[in-house]
Amino acid sequence: AQKITQTQPGMFVQEKEAVTLDCTYDTSDPSYGLFWYKQPSSGEMIFLIYQGSYDQQNATEGRYSLNFQKARKSANLVISASQLGDSAMYFCAQGSNYKLTFGKGTLLTVNP
Amino acid sequence: DVKVTQSSRYLVKRTGEKVFLECVQDMDHENMFWYRQDPGLGLRLIYFSYDVKMKEKGDIPEGYSVSREKKERFSLILESASTNQTSMYLCASSTSQGLYQPQHFGDGTRLSIL
């Protein structure tokens, strides 16, 4: 069974600084995807970025990048130039066969 | 943009009632999912469907059933609501075309069972 671990229950960052949110996973599937979602206090889950297990380059999407280290089974999310609107819960997920397993999330607070 | 619409943002029901949560997506996605989200537990999959009239149990199906009569609509049914089913319920959909397809979520339904 897949398992996703997010070791940081909460993180604080100053506005305009970069922050890294950690995620490790455990799977025996040969092919899989890794995803990050943002959940503001209003509750909706917003898809941010994904990485395929066979992708050679790390994924980037605007201020978001995914630091994928396959040998370490880690898929950390890097947010550059943090904004106040980035304050939210962030969930890492790993997917195979169109099913996702989610971590328990990291609450990010961006301070002005 | 993908639009996943859940019928209610907030819902209050009584113990023992039969509760229906509705979800509609407008992107012709093959796959649809129901999760519940509880503090400290993250998202847990209740049921999913990969085609019309097809359904698969997720990690916590007990006390729930689902219906998918049309491709765009996936309903979650609480047969006899209990207080421990008070939770945030999230519906999602995804396409089967290609690998690593993200799931797209609705805004969620905060369900309270009194």
Side-chain angles (χ1 to χ4, degrees), chain B residues 12-42:
Chain B
V12 180
K13 296 292 183 180
R14 297 205 174 273
T15 303
E17 281 192 67
K18 190 170 187 176
V19 180
F20 294 85
L21 301 183
E22 306 287 346
C23 176
V24 177
Q25 51 94 4
D26 67 356
M27 283 301 294
D28 201 36
H29 283 170
E30 295 83 3
N31 309 312
M32 296 189 75
F33 308 83
W34 275 106
Y35 295 89
R36 67 177 280 176
Q37 182 179 21
D38 301 287
L41 297 178

Side-chain angles (χ1 to χ4, degrees), chain A residues 31-35 37 39-47 50-55 89 91 95 97-105, chain B residues 9-10 31 33 35 37 40-43 45 48 57-59 88 90 94-108 110:
Chain A
S31 175
Y32 50 88
L34 296 153
F35 304 83
Y37 287 84
Q39 187 178 42
S41 56
S42 50
E44 70 271 26
M45 290 282 284
I46 303 166
F47 164 66
Y50 79 93
Q51 175 91 38
S53 58
Y54 285 104
D55 291 341
M89 281 290 288
F91 292 94
N97 300 323
Y98 315 116
K99 289 177 64 176
L100 289 182
T101 300
F102 287 82
K104 294 185 178 179
Chain B
R9 287 301 300 271
Y10 300 93
N31 309 312
F33 308 83
Y35 295 89
Q37 182 179 21
L41 297 178
L43 275 75
L45 181 65
F48 70 100
K57 292 180 180 179
D59 300 318
M88 171 72 140
L90 290 160
S94 71
T95 180
S96 293
Q97 306 302 315
L99 293 174
Y100 319 133
Q101 297 302 313
Q103 293 181 15
H104 298 272
F105 285 81
D107 289 344
R110 295 186 188 273

Side-chain angles (χ1 to χ4, degrees), chain B residues 47-107:
Chain B
Y47 268 97
F48 70 100
S49 169
Y50 53 88
D51 201 353
V52 176
K53 297 190 185 295
M54 304 302 291
K55 61 184 179 183
E56 293 282 343
K57 292 180 180 179
D59 300 318
I60 51 164
E62 296 78 19
Y64 303 93
S65 63
V66 290
S67 173
R68 192 164 181 204
E69 296 296 319
K70 294 184 177 181
K71 191 174 186 180
E72 68 270 19
R73 185 179 298 270
F74 193 35
S75 303
L76 179 69
I77 303 157
L78 286 64
E79 297 290 345
S80 178
S82 63
T83 55
N84 62 13
Q85 292 177 310
T86 290
S87 187
M88 171 72 140
Y89 290 86
L90 290 160
C91 175
S93 72
S94 71
T95 180
S96 293
Q97 306 302 315
L99 293 174
Y100 319 133
Q101 297 302 313
Q103 293 181 15
H104 298 272
F105 285 81
D107 289 344

Side-chain angles (χ1 to χ4, degrees), chain A residues 28-86:
Chain A
S28 56
D29 292 332
S31 175
Y32 50 88
L34 296 153
F35 304 83
W36 278 92
Y37 287 84
K38 171 185 178 182
Q39 187 178 42
S41 56
S42 50
E44 70 271 26
M45 290 282 284
I46 303 166
F47 164 66
L48 296 177
I49 192 169
Y50 79 93
Q51 175 91 38
S53 58
Y54 285 104
D55 291 341
Q56 297 296 317
Q57 288 191 314
N58 286 341
T60 60
E61 193 69 48
R63 295 186 298 110
Y64 305 109
S65 60
L66 202 156
N67 184 359
F68 179 46
Q69 298 188 46
K70 193 172 182 178
R72 295 185 177 184
K73 293 189 174 180
S74 73
N76 298 338
L77 177 71
V78 180
I79 305 175
S80 63
S82 298
Q83 302 172 355
L84 296 178
D86 293 335

Side-chain angles (χ1 to χ4, degrees), chain A residues 2-15:
Chain A
Q2 284 84 4
K3 183 179 178 181
I4 307 294
T5 302
Q6 294 182 251
T7 57
Q8 307 150 316
M11 287 281 287
F12 293 88
V13 66
Q14 287 297 121
E15 194 178 6

